[in-house]
Amino acid sequence: MKRSLSIVLAAALATVAVPALAKNVINVAIVGEPDTLDPMVSTKDVVSIVTQHVVETLYTFDGEWNVAPLLAKDLPKISDDGKTYEIALRDGVSFSDGSKLDSADVVASLERWLKIASRGKTVADKVESVTAKGPLAVEIKMKSPYAPLLSLLAFSNSAAAIYPSEIVPEGDGQIDKVVGTGPYEYGEHVPDQYLQLVPFKGFVPRDEPANGSAGKRGQVPDEIRFIPVPDANTRVEGLVSGQFDFADSLPAESYDRIEKSDKAKPVLLENFGWPVWAINHKAGLLTDKKIREALLAALPFDDMLFAAFGDDKFFKVDGALYPEGWAWHSEEGTKAYNQNDPEKAGELLKEAGYDGTPLRILTSRQYEFHYKMAEVAKQALEAAGFKVQMDVVDWATLGQRRNDPALWDVYITHSPFLPEPALTDMWFPSSRIGWSEPKKDETVDAFVSETDPEKRQALFAKMQAEEYDDVGFIKVGNFNALTGEAKTLQGVTPSPWPHFWDAAKK
């Protein structure tokens, strides 16, 4: 059936596929083609949104961002010294290749995650061992207490995904065909047109009521179809015309148009997250701290945010790494934020002996607000004395280039505000940006080892101050994210990584 369906659809396609045969088909417009279907090897949201339907983790987050069990039977039993985690696995869970989940699968998957995943690498040197303790039990031994461990194991981004041990490659090898335990499996894939997910008939859900990504996961749609639509305005037009049931990452200026539509409605995720300039500490111009300080001094964050979002209901000029209301909120170090001082930046460039080497800014128009921020920043940086080179590529190419430190000085990205700061891998020397500074590294090590909440808050405030002092990465501000959905769509909970296993059209 899947093969005949793909033939019918391929003949009918123009720019996107229009499903014809399945009863409840959910069409989701995403910003681009996922460059991998293996969530372990990518931090891209577009990868997480798709793959969470197919591949599962030991734990997940509920609707309040609390860690909850998924493939694990319950939350782990943790030793009094905080260094041993005993994890019982659910019995009777199947992979889509027909094999049954057991401890060997978990051990092989977690060992691979610690070696190759950007988030796994942040904790790898703290892990003493991952061992099977029977067919449905696993033990993780830590060298020292590590407070963020469960949050890392629960995150669907650079995920600690669980695969059958038989398909887990050795070393840095890639998985040719991704197999998971989730409610859906991969169906037809026409690159740059659509990726079809179909229900996995052997799926074994949890019994608890659905709560965020936790609890019982359904199989309501007969088909979920992810359609890569790189142009943001095309995503908007497809939504308001009824072509798409859901569209991700929409421009702020499209809010009114969607609101007036008779077929769609806007969904605003308030206090969603922060745009960030990721700085290359491994190679190039910004390995010089003075030049990083000049960059920070020159950037006009208020102008950048206004250009990106157009209306202050969509953004806030705020230097704190977490907004007010979060336990992690602090004002430490934020005097260095939004200086907008080209003269100071110019003096810092002179002190650094800047020779006119171009500052290479890597960005994409698939997230249009990234590009708009970069355009405004370019003018301000050139006024301060920088020579700027804008490298504008598609999102998949950006994902490839940022892995090579010889190709960029800054790449622009964004992140939701995450419940655990250690989920932001840029804090760790093992991350893609390679930021290592002795004082900061010592504070981060203390932060991840501390279990007392108040002490952790104080340590994070110190981390923030040290981040501003060394210019590890640059927060632009806070923003509200805009998505849109058909008025007929129900069962989709607003989230940075929306899932569609309970989605239906009225």
Side-chain angles (χ1 to χ4, degrees):
M1 178 182 140
K2 287 187 288 186
R3 187 173 292 112
S4 62
L5 175 63
S6 70
I7 294 169
V8 171
L9 290 174
L13 284 175
T15 56
V16 296
V18 180
L21 300 181
K23 294 178 182 178
N24 182 26
V25 180
I26 305 300
N27 291 303
V28 181
I30 51 178
V31 302
E33 183 84 13
D35 57 348
T36 179
L37 298 180
D38 177 1
M40 192 178 286
V41 300
S42 178
T43 58
K44 291 182 181 177
D45 290 344
V46 71
V47 173
S48 300
I49 290 171
V50 173
T51 59
Q52 65 184 327
H53 297 80
V54 174
V55 180
E56 295 182 315
T57 46
L58 291 174
Y59 303 98
T60 188
F61 292 106
D62 68 17
E64 305 300 319
W65 289 106
N66 300 306
V67 174
L70 185 54
L71 291 177
K73 186 176 181 180
D74 297 295
L75 290 174
K77 181 181 178 182
I78 305 174
S79 62
D80 291 341
D81 63 4
K83 293 194 288 188
T84 302
Y85 292 70
E86 296 178 11
I87 300 171
L89 305 177
R90 290 167 55 204
D91 193 7
V93 174
S94 295
F95 290 99
S96 59
D97 66 354
S99 61
K100 294 290 186 181
L101 171 73
D102 63 21
S103 56
D105 304 316
V106 175
V107 171
S109 298
L110 292 186
E111 287 180 343
R112 178 179 185 244
W113 178 71
L114 292 168
K115 289 178 185 176
I116 72 166
S118 61
R119 300 191 202 282
K121 290 177 183 178
T122 67
V123 68
D125 63 343
K126 307 289 193 305
V127 176
E128 183 175 307
S129 62
V130 181
T131 53
K133 294 293 181 179
L136 292 172
V138 173
E139 179 186 82
I140 301 176
K141 276 188 171 288
M142 308 297 293
K143 296 175 184 177
S144 58
Y146 195 84
L149 180 62
L150 291 185
S151 293
L152 283 168
L153 293 176
F155 203 19
S156 63
N157 188 277
S158 186
I162 305 303
Y163 301 111
S165 58
E166 293 79 9
I167 72 168
V168 176
E170 295 182 3
D172 296 336
Q174 300 297 304
I175 294 177
D176 294 329
K177 183 180 179 182
V178 172
V179 174
T181 57
Y184 286 81
E185 58 182 318
Y186 298 119
E188 298 293 339
H189 182 199
V190 179
D192 298 319
Q193 293 288 348
Y194 65 89
L195 171 62
Q196 176 199 50
L197 303 190
V198 295
F200 163 38
K201 293 180 181 179
F203 174 61
V204 181
R206 295 190 67 88
D207 295 327
E208 304 94 331
N211 181 2
S213 291
K216 186 174 182 178
R217 297 182 170 186
Q219 293 178 299
V220 177
D222 298 304
E223 177 185 337
I224 306 169
R225 181 170 293 230
F226 290 99
I227 303 165
V229 185
D231 182 74
N233 292 322
T234 304
R235 293 197 296 277
V236 173
E237 294 306 315
L239 178 70
V240 300
S241 70
Q243 191 174 21
F244 306 137
D245 301 302
F246 186 96
D248 191 34
S249 189
L250 302 179
E253 60 268 22
S254 66
Y255 184 94
D256 292 341
R257 172 156 169 68
I258 300 169
E259 191 173 42
K260 293 173 183 176
S261 166
D262 61 347
K263 294 183 178 178
K265 62 182 179 180
V267 178
L268 192 64
L269 285 71
E270 297 187 3
N271 267 335
F272 173 87
W274 47 299
V276 58
W277 281 37
I279 290 175
N280 187 348
H281 292 261
K282 294 181 178 180
L285 192 62
L286 296 179
T287 55
D288 187 319
K289 182 182 176 183
K290 284 286 184 186
I291 298 180
R292 297 199 301 273
E293 290 174 340
L295 175 64
L296 179 59
L299 290 174
F301 297 125
D302 42 4
D303 293 339
M304 292 165 66
L305 289 164
F306 187 80
F309 301 105
D311 188 324
D312 59 11
K313 75 178 178 182
F314 293 105
F315 70 87
K316 183 177 180 181
V317 183
D318 181 16
L321 297 182
Y322 279 84
E324 291 184 20
W326 285 74
W328 308 111
H329 176 75
S330 170
E331 295 296 327
E332 291 293 322
T334 56
K335 288 183 179 179
Y337 175 76
N338 203 28
Q339 300 169 59
N340 195 4
D341 190 339
E343 292 183 5
K344 178 182 177 182
E347 289 299 320
L348 287 164
L349 287 177
K350 287 180 183 178
E351 291 177 29
Y354 175 61
D355 62 1
T357 300
L359 175 73
R360 298 162 299 170
I361 299 175
L362 182 60
T363 190
S364 171
R365 299 199 71 160
Q366 281 161 270
Y367 292 104
E368 184 70 9
F369 70 98
H370 292 186
Y371 174 74
K372 290 179 177 179
M373 288 188 300
E375 279 193 312
V376 172
K378 180 177 186 290
Q379 296 177 25
L381 292 168
E382 288 175 342
F386 280 96
K387 184 176 180 180
V388 178
Q389 175 182 317
M390 289 266 285
D391 294 330
V392 184
V393 298
D394 62 81
W395 192 240
T397 301
L398 185 148
Q400 293 168 356
R401 288 193 183 181
R402 67 183 182 176
N403 291 325
D404 185 347
L407 299 179
W408 57 277
D409 297 302
V410 168
Y411 73 83
I412 301 175
T413 185
H414 67 271
S415 171
F417 293 114
L418 302 173
E420 163 58 55
L423 293 176
T424 300
D425 63 358
M426 288 185 294
W427 288 108
F428 301 94
S430 61
S431 79
R432 184 178 290 107
I433 69 172
W435 178 35
S436 181
E437 193 280 324
K439 187 167 62 172
K440 179 271 304 182
D441 292 345
E442 183 178 343
T443 305
V444 171
D445 284 343
F447 174 76
V448 298
S449 299
E450 182 56 64
T451 57
D452 181 88
E454 290 187 4
K455 291 179 180 178
R456 295 193 84 217
Q457 290 171 23
L459 284 165
F460 182 72
K462 187 178 179 184
M463 285 165 57
Q464 178 175 290
E466 291 167 355
E467 192 280 319
Y468 270 105
D469 178 68
D470 200 53
V471 198
F473 47 84
I474 296 177
K475 178 190 177 184
V476 180
N478 304 346
F479 77 101
N480 300 332
L482 179 64
T483 62
E485 61 183 40
K487 289 182 177 179
T488 57
L489 187 68
Q490 56 189 13
V492 179
T493 303
S495 167
W497 305 280
H499 54 77
F500 302 93
W501 49 70
D502 289 320
K505 288 185 281 192
K506 289 182 289 187

